[in-house]
């Protein structure tokens, strides 16, 4: 029984003239599930239907391009022509059928796209390339500006015709409206540039046109970045003024976010950015508008207790929980049913969602393998034939496989040779800013423990175990182990693995060399630097942390510089001597002396002895996760899910 009482989060609210049943908003998140010309697909519908069923008050459909020149992703939703209305209507009907309200976010990417995506030249207020997209945009003419104002208006009309309850004008994150508003991206000398009054002109014209098209009996929300977090960009002082103007222009609610593409880590914040990072900005904007319209706040709000606190303190009127709903679409329902401990929390990893989107792939979620595949799997219906399933290994893949097999009605036995479940997730949660992984580990363990799964802890399974249990299927999830490179001197006592360091099973001296500058090497370096060690990372490639998603990586590299971690790229440790290491560089060799500890972080190899020994058994044997090929947690969990489901 949960002692905490949720009151504000579950309270209805009016966003004139729309009533929302609770204060939880699903903010727009591009999925890449639409067709290439921007039409709704069945997958897109089922994904939203699942969130609506989960109890969210208001769903905001992803950034939806109002004009072909504003498309930002290959399979993004569009609302730029009337032919798209029937598909959008089928979406709003499905969501309404589950009791949620639905908004569409009207957007134009401006310079934050490429001609490869749009099929036409990139346009912007001024010919200044986005530092991330790096394509020189063409300056919009006055006629083109009028055309785009009209495009926003027509998109709003289509939204109303398609049955949306509201539209959200996307004025945040460095997209076109934000580009006009900001001195960082708008260097025009005509009536749309220069003074703040002029830079506000385009977004305010869009608001006016949208209102004209939808009339007074329809809610219009505006999303804005309260700060841009770039030199010369918009500050809170500017946006407080702009917020007032928006309210005067008849906006019904403001949605407060932050960042532009150059400061992307503030748009989709990795775990190193604090939870609730925009709450104070939302409160400042709310104060600037005297609370005249509701304020929505976004920004790593994943904990319903935090959400309730924000609302109770009056810092915002609604909370937008985006990735939290990718990880667990039923979060609002679980809050209302006092089952908060059952929530599968987002861990801020970005691996399944934004890292994939930035590779122009469709999104999913590391923690929730069903995200984006809701129509393909019916987890609640038992499998046709109940089977006895032996899962060997209690890491992320094994836990997920056991959980799903049990949910499907199978009889499951789980073997784990360690004294604790969780496998490498326990190690992965040790470096700085990674502790939220523990939330997912705890969720999986709780789910497994509360089911009928027989858990055999501290027991190593072998061929005999399989023969004794005689299961109908074996799922091998034995993981991986660190590779020890064949470097002369590697067998000395001062040589340890990154895993041993992170587990705390070895002592580490003051001067440390880490061999390998991938994710594990860099994170271990930061972990040790935080303990006051003097750390050097030696990497063969010409860059470090190349296996890390771009937003997380940018923050990690900055911190490594701040923490004075020495990085040697295009360098190879040739020998570990009694004194230190001999490094082979492009131009000869160098010896670093006085090294107390050498840490190996050059990758892992499959722990597949058991798998090999089970070959030839008369029982189907399936392998998942690292014991097939060492990869990321997302691969282990998703493989565990799919394999168990298909039994
Ligand atoms: Fe959260 Fe990671 Fe899932 Fe994205 S992939 S929603 S960051 S848990």
């Amino acid at each position: 029984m949960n002692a905490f009482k949720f009151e504000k989060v579950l309270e209805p609210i009016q966003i004139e003239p729309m009533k929302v049943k609770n204060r939880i908003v699903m903010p727009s998140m591009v999925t890449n599930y639409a067709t290439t010309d921007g039409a709704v697909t069945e997958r897109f519908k089922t994904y939203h239907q699942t969130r609506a069923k989960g109890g969210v008050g208001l769903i905001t459909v992803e950034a939806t391009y109002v004009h072909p020149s504003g498309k930002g992703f290959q399979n993004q939703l569009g609302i730029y022509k009337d032919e798209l209305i029937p598909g959008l209507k089928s979406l709003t009907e499905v969501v309404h059928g589950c009791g949620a309200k639905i908004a569409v976010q009207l957007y134009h990417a401006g310079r934050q796209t490429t001609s490869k995506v749009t099929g036409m030249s990139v346009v912007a207020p001024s010919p200044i390339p986005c530092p991330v997209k790096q394509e020189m945009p063409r300056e919009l003419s006055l006629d083109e500006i009028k055309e785009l104002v009209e495009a926003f208006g027509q998109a709003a009309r289509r939204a109303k015709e398609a049955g949306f309850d509201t539209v959200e004008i996307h004025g945040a994150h460095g997209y076109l409206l934000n580009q006009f508003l900001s001195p960082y991206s708008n260097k025009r000398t005509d009536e749309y540039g220069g003074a703040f009054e002029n830079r506000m002109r385009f977004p305010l014209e869009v608001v006016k046109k949208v209102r004209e098209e939808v009339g007074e009996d329809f809610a219009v929300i505006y999303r804005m970045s309260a700060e841009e977090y770039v030199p010369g960009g918009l500050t809170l002082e500017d946006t407080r003024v702009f917020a007032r103007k928006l309210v005067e222009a008849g906006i019904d609610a403001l949605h407060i976010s932050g960042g532009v593409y150059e400061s992307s880590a503030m748009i989709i914040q990795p775990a190193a950015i604090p939870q609730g990072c925009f709450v104070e900005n939302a409160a400042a904007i709310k104060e600037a508008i005297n609370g005249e319209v509701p304020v929505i706040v976004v920004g790593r709000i994943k904990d319903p207790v935090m959400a309730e606190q924000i609302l109770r303190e009056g810092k915002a009127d609604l909370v937008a929980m985006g990735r939290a709903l990718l990880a667990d679409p039923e979060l609002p329902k679980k809050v209302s049913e006092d089952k908060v401990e059952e929530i599968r929390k987002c861990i801020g990893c970005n691996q399944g969602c934004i890292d994939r989107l930035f590779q122009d792939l469709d999104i999913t979620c590391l923690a929730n393998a069903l995200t984006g595949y809701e129509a393909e799997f019916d987890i609640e219906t038992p499998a046709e034939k109940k089977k006895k399933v032996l899962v060997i290994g209690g890491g992320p893949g094994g836990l997920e496989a056991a959980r799903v097999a049990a949910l499907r009605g199978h009889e499951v036995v789980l073997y784990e040779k360690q004294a604790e479940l969780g496998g490498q997730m326990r190690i992965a949660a040790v470096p700085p800013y990674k502790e939220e992984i523990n939330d997912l580990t705890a969720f999986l363990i709780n789910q497994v423990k509360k089911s009928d799964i027989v858990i055999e802890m501290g027991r190593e399974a072998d061929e005999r175990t399989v023969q004794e249990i005689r299961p109908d299927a074996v799922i091998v999830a034995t993981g991986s182990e660190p590779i020890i490179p064949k470097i002369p001197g590697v067998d000395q006592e001062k040589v340890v693995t990154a895993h041993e360091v992170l587990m705390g099973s070895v002592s580490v001296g003051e001067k440390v060399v880490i061999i390998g500058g991938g994710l594990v090497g860099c994170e271990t370096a930061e972990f040790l630097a935080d303990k006051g060690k003097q750390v050097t990372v030696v990497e063969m490639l010409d860059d470090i942390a190349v296996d890390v998603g771009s937003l997380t990586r940018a923050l990690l590299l900055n911190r490594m510089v701040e923490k004075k971690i020495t990085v040697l790229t295009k360098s190879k440790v040739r020998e570990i001597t009694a004194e230190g290491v001999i490094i082979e560089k492009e131009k000869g060799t160098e010896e670093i002396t006085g090294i107390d500890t050498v840490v190996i972080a050059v990758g892992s190899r499959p722990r597949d002895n058991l798998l090999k020994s089970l070959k030839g058994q008369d029982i189907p044997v399936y392998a998942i996760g690292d014991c097939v090929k060492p990869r990321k947690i997302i691969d282990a969990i998703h493989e565990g899910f799919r394999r168990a489901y298909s039994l």
Side-chain angles (χ1 to χ4, degrees), residues 76-216:
Q76 189 171 21
L77 194 70
I79 192 165
Y80 59 95
K81 57 181 180 180
D82 285 0
E83 289 75 7
L84 295 166
I85 296 175
L88 293 166
K89 199 165 187 333
S90 67
L91 170 70
T92 60
E93 283 167 358
V94 157
V95 168
H96 285 151
C98 302
K101 293 284 193 279
I102 181 164
V104 61
Q105 191 183 50
L106 307 181
Y107 133 109
H108 188 294
R111 66 179 189 166
Q112 288 183 171
T113 186
T114 61
S115 48
K116 190 171 163 230
V117 172
T118 61
M120 52 184 76
S121 55
V122 173
V123 292
S126 302
I128 308 165
C130 158
V132 175
K133 293 294 178 184
Q134 296 187 345
E135 183 166 334
M136 178 59 83
R138 183 169 58 70
E139 180 175 293
L140 285 161
S141 69
L142 292 178
D143 282 346
E144 285 174 319
I145 292 174
K146 279 196 181 63
E147 187 189 331
L148 290 179
V149 170
E150 182 63 23
F152 272 94
Q154 290 309 310
R157 171 190 57 81
R158 289 180 197 111
K160 195 175 178 186
E161 283 176 31
F164 285 97
D165 301 285
T166 171
V167 291
E168 180 174 87
I169 300 171
H170 200 348
H173 300 168
Y175 295 121
L176 188 65
L177 273 68
N178 192 166
Q179 284 161 35
F180 268 93
L181 189 68
S182 175
Y184 159 77
S185 42
N186 181 350
K187 305 288 181 197
R188 295 179 77 97
T189 52
D190 59 11
E191 66 263 43
Y192 287 95
F196 198 31
E197 217 59 37
N198 286 349
R199 283 184 276 118
M200 284 192 279
R201 193 177 308 281
F202 177 66
L204 290 176
E205 283 180 357
V206 166
V207 170
K208 187 160 173 262
K209 186 70 194 167
V210 165
R211 179 57 77 199
E212 269 171 33
E213 290 296 331
V214 297
E216 291 301 321

Side-chain angles (χ1 to χ4, degrees), residues 29 268-270 322-328 345-355 364-368 371 440 634:
M29 291 174 284
I268 312 110
Q269 313 83 13
R323 288 172 293 171
L325 291 174
L326 297 184
D328 195 339
K345 288 184 184 163
C346 163
I347 59 169
C349 64
N350 282 351
Q351 275 183 32
C353 50
I354 200 70
D355 288 353
T364 180
C365 171
L366 173 145
N368 180 7
T371 296
L440 181 58
I634 186 170

